[in-house]
Each structure stands twice: as structure tokens, then as C-alpha cells.
Amino acid sequence: MAHASDGHSLEFKLPDLGEGLTEAEIVRWLVEVGDVVVVDQPVVEVETAKAMVEVPCPYGGVVTARFGEEGTELPVGAPLVTVAVGGDEAAAAAGPARQSGAEAAGTPAAEPSGAAQKADRKAEGSGNVLVGYGTSEAPARRRRVRPGAPVATGPSGRANGRALPVEPAGTEVRTAEPVDGPVPVISPLVRRLARQNDLDLRELTGSGPDGLILRADVEYALRAAAAQGGRTADQAARTSGEQVAPPAAAAPSATSAAPGMSAAAGSAGTRVPLKGVRGAVADKLSRSRREIPDATCWVDADATELMRARTAMNASGGPKISLVALLARICTAALTRFPELNSTVDTEAREIVRLDGVHLGFAAQTGRGLVVPVVRDAHARDAESLTAEFARLTEAARAGRLTPGELTGGTFTLNNYGVFGVDGSTPIINHPEAAMLGVGRIVPKPWVHEGELAVRQVVQLSLTFDHRVCDGGTAGGFLRYVADCVEQPAVLLRTL
């Protein structure tokens, strides 16, 4: 997280924000170079794939450098700021500190001993916690790159996106010497890509900060290895103009279309980066479609009595009860009867894990995209408590203040797409959950009630479920119970 870069200043790095997040985008700097900061003062606002977070600095002193402009995406472990600490050093840095750079300027001071530096770092840390790290003394870094390790190169004479002298034809691809200790990789996607292609990450030298191995490094190594293996057989073809493509990060091209996309389609239109919330949604939904064999069943229900019950509740005084809170209460009661749907699948162990508590996620559309806040222990809450928590999380979602912890850990999702004015949908399950209840709009429709045709408030309910955790009978029973509670709210009294 931080380390002493010299005798006068400490370098604060982007901390591990938890929940598997590996990078963040700088949204707004809260300090300027030369500003005096106190311990735990927020210095930058960043956007992760989960939420907007203000990052506090665990050191007090004078900001001597900032790393990255607003809009820049940084990996975990990349430098954020350097801070001149200590009385004399901070005073010396206060004057010329507005110059950009990584070192503090000012009158040279005596180099403190290693023990004194360690004591200073302990004194500066407050012990407060932001998801994933504390502002006490930083633990030893788990990933370290061996200095001076040779760079892996490919037949095109490029290594990690940088041009090198071209090797004569027939020269083998050089690789880095295997590095002892942990491999400098943060992203699980990079590890998976290497594992699927039997690539030893220890043989690569990353092009990221501090030798961090990026996805572009792995992709280029795979392309270079494939080209090297086919060099002899394809020598004639290669001399006629065919070349190994450079890494995507080093030479992006509008004409290099993705697999399955024609060159004409790849060169036209506007490209929007899949990052932040949009990127996280894309990754999660794609994974759900790949891994979960989902199925959907649906039913129309007469919600007239439920609407009347809500009106009666709100007429009696006290906090108003929301419709989504009543639907959530029905969900938790149904999951008690059909616990198979409050579960997840452990694919490695080949086991279905039935979960004890219900942490109910609900879909919320915001200016930043679709998010799914989670109501913790929804099964233990009444309608008033659910209403209050839904309101709090919705407001936080719209303001971009949700923490990663409030966006993860759900066991079942309630999706009220009726707010968009539609009747039905077949949603994608929120991986790794096993089911999602969809609720359409409630509208007046002709309905046979007590043997006569009448205009009633009708809603379409749908259940998308993971067919690995249960069969259609269980899913149908769950949805039928939910519909019965919507049509006759008194059914819930049996379980209250």
C-alpha cells in the first residue's frame, strides 16, 4: 500500500479495495501538490466496477506529487501520491512542492535510521479501515518483481509493447528467467487466460507498474509462441507480407476487428470502452450465460387485494410501506418454503450450497448503469424495516455512494422491471445466485373474479432459475406460492 521512497517522503499506493477489484479510475483529485494533509484525509475519489470511493491517505504531511490525471485507470498497487512527513521535512517541502515530480524538494535532512523510519510509519498510521485495507503499517508486499530480469520477446522484435532490435529469421523466442517467489499478477482474468493456454507466468516480465503482468502481455506471448511454432512451415507465407500482430495495448487499431466481426464492421461506428460499472455488468452477465443453465416460468396474478392491503397499512399512520417491500416479504416467505432457490453451485466441488440467510438483491437503474444493492438479512426484517432499507440503498445508488460491501453477497434477486412500463422479461441470473423473481407493471385488465368478468389490477410474475439446483416442480411451486400471496395477502399470516 505504501512504502518509504526516500528519507523524507512516503509513497501511498492505490490500496486493495476488496471484493476482487483490481483497478480503479481516477474521478476527481481532492488535493493539489503542495497541500498539507492530515492522517486519513481523503485525497482522491475513484470509481471501481462496484462504486465510487473516496480514498483516505494514511499519512500526514505535504503532498509532493500526484500520479495520474482524472480519467486515468490505475491497477491496485500503482502510486497515487507521495507525502513529505515529519516536522522539518514537511516544512522544507511546503515551499517548492508545487513542482510536479515524485521527490520532495527542500533543504536536505539527515537520513533517519531504519528503525526510526519504521517507528514513524507506525506513528503516522491511524488504524482506520477502508474496504480491504487499514491505515496502519503496511504489510510486506506479496508481489515483487526480480530486478534486472530479462524481458520476454517475440519474433516481431517487441516485448510488452516496446520495440526491440529485430531478431534474424529462425531465432527462437527469448523468455524471461523464471522468477522466484509470487508472480506479479493481480487480475484473476490474466491468471485464467494463462492457465487455459498452459502459459507459465513466471517466464514473462510485465509491462505494467513495477513489472505487473497485464492481459496484453499474456495475449502477446501467446501470439508470439504460436507464430514461432509455425515459422518454419509458413516461411514462404510470412516473407510475402504476413506479420505477427503486436499487443493490443501497444498498437490499437480500428481495423483489427474482434473474432467473428468483419473488417468493415470493425472500422465503423463509435467504440465505447467496457469499463467501470458497464464493464463489470458485461463480465458478470456473460459469465452467468456461460455457466448457468437457466430456465424461466411465469404466471399472471391478480394483485388487487395486495394493493388494497398496502393502502390499508399506509392509512393507519406510521411510515409508508412500499410495494417492493411487500414483494420482498413475500419472497423471503417463499424461500423459507423452497430453500433450493436460495443457494449457489460450487462447480469445483460439484456441490449445491444451500444458504442459511436471505440477502436480497434488487435491481436499481442509475446514471452510472445497472447496480444490484443487497438488503442484508432480509428474512429477519418486517415490511417497515425493508421499506427503510430499500429507500436508503436506492438513494445511495443514485448518488454513487454504495460501498462494495453493499453491492455484493446477495443470495436471491428481486427485479421490479414494471417501473419501466413493461409486463414481462426473462432476465439473466445474477451470478452466482440461483434464481431471480421478476415483477412486471401492475395494470387494470379484464379478469374473471368470483365467476364474473371484472376489471382487476393484474401483474405478471416470472422466475428465472438455475436448473442445476432444482427441477421445474420446485420452481413452479415457488412461483405459485408467490402468486397466491399476491392474490391473497392473508396467506402470509400463516408464517408471520
Side-chain angles (χ1 to χ4, degrees):
M1 179 178 70
H3 72 276
S5 58
D6 55 42
H8 308 136
S9 62
L10 293 173
E11 187 178 83
F12 175 50
K13 298 187 176 186
L14 180 64
D16 179 1
L17 300 174
E19 304 297 339
L21 303 176
T22 59
E23 63 272 327
E25 180 180 333
I26 296 175
V27 175
R28 180 168 57 101
W29 282 106
L30 305 179
V31 295
E32 299 287 342
V33 174
D35 286 354
V36 177
V37 295
V38 298
V39 173
D40 285 341
Q41 176 178 333
V43 294
V44 65
E45 183 178 40
V46 300
E47 180 181 17
T48 71
K50 301 290 186 180
M52 302 271 279
V53 179
E54 288 187 353
V55 181
C57 179
Y59 303 104
V62 177
V63 177
T64 59
R66 299 186 322 192
F67 299 90
E69 300 297 327
E70 293 179 356
T72 302
E73 191 169 80
L74 299 177
V76 170
L80 279 177
V81 294
T82 54
V83 179
V85 299
D88 295 339
E89 291 82 352
R98 292 195 175 273
Q99 301 176 359
S100 62
E103 296 183 356
T107 305
E111 184 80 16
S113 66
Q117 288 183 355
K118 185 175 181 180
D120 288 343
R121 289 196 294 271
K122 288 184 176 180
E124 291 294 336
S126 71
N128 292 340
V129 173
L130 171 69
V131 181
Y133 80 99
T135 56
S136 57
E137 182 186 8
R141 292 185 59 190
R142 293 170 295 173
R143 302 178 177 92
R144 190 177 301 277
V145 181
R146 195 183 204 172
V151 179
T153 64
S156 63
R158 303 182 67 88
N160 303 328
R162 295 182 290 275
L164 292 176
V166 179
E167 303 274 346
T171 302
E172 294 185 357
V173 177
R174 292 181 297 159
T175 58
E177 293 293 334
V179 179
D180 295 332
V183 180
V185 178
I186 291 178
S187 172
L189 295 177
V190 173
R191 291 185 181 275
R192 184 174 64 184
L193 181 62
R195 184 171 61 250
Q196 290 175 343
N197 291 277
D198 296 325
L199 179 65
D200 188 354
L201 290 172
R202 295 177 182 274
E203 297 181 354
L204 300 184
T205 296
S207 60
D210 293 332
L212 185 70
I213 297 176
L214 307 178
R215 181 173 181 174
D217 301 325
V218 174
E219 290 175 340
Y220 177 65
L222 295 174
R223 286 195 294 268
Q228 182 66 38
R231 180 185 294 272
T232 303
D234 299 335
Q235 185 66 35
R238 295 188 59 80
T239 55
S240 65
E242 182 185 348
Q243 295 181 353
V244 178
S253 173
T255 59
S256 58
M261 178 187 292
S262 67
S267 61
T270 302
R271 290 176 175 263
V272 180
L274 274 175
K275 63 180 184 177
V277 172
R278 187 73 263 158
V281 170
D283 292 341
K284 195 158 196 177
L285 296 184
S286 297
R287 182 177 183 183
S288 179
R289 271 289 187 246
R290 287 194 307 269
E291 296 185 8
I292 298 179
D294 58 350
T296 302
C297 54
W298 55 88
V299 66
D300 289 340
D302 179 2
T304 305
E305 297 303 322
L306 180 66
M307 300 300 286
R308 287 176 178 171
R310 176 173 176 255
T311 300
M313 291 178 190
N314 292 337
S316 62
K320 301 294 185 182
I321 303 300
S322 68
L323 178 61
V324 70
L326 294 179
L327 293 170
R329 185 66 189 87
I330 292 172
C331 269
T332 57
L335 289 172
T336 300
R337 284 175 164 253
F338 300 93
E340 298 93 333
L341 295 169
N342 191 53
S343 62
T344 187
V345 176
D346 185 340
T347 54
E348 292 187 0
R350 293 187 61 82
E351 294 176 341
I352 297 172
V353 182
R354 292 185 182 174
L355 305 169
D356 297 330
V358 178
H359 303 311
L360 189 66
F362 65 98
Q365 193 70 36
T366 71
R368 299 173 60 237
L370 177 68
V371 295
V372 184
V374 177
V375 177
R376 302 288 171 185
D377 299 316
H379 61 286
R381 297 176 181 265
D382 58 20
E384 286 189 2
S385 174
L386 288 168
T387 297
E389 187 66 357
F390 276 123
R392 184 189 72 81
L393 291 172
T394 300
E395 177 59 28
R398 290 172 178 168
R401 297 194 309 267
L402 287 172
T403 66
E406 291 171 328
L407 286 164
T408 54
T411 64
F412 187 93
T413 295
L414 174 63
N415 190 353
N416 181 20
Y417 43 75
V419 297
F420 301 118
V422 298
D423 295 324
S425 176
T426 55
I428 300 175
I429 295 174
N430 187 24
H431 184 279
E433 297 171 13
M436 175 185 296
L437 177 69
V439 182
R441 61 177 180 163
I442 301 177
V443 293
K445 287 185 179 181
W447 189 268
V448 176
H449 177 65
E450 296 180 351
E452 296 184 357
L453 188 63
V455 176
R456 305 286 286 182
Q457 300 293 318
V458 178
V459 61
Q460 184 180 100
L461 305 171
S462 64
L463 177 71
T464 299
F465 64 99
D466 185 341
H467 226 313
R468 295 174 298 179
V469 304
C470 69
D471 295 324
T474 300
F478 174 92
L479 190 59
R480 185 65 257 170
Y481 179 79
V482 170
D484 289 344
C485 290
V486 167
E487 293 183 340
Q488 303 175 50
V491 172
L492 277 177
L493 295 176
R494 294 178 60 91
T495 58
L496 292 181

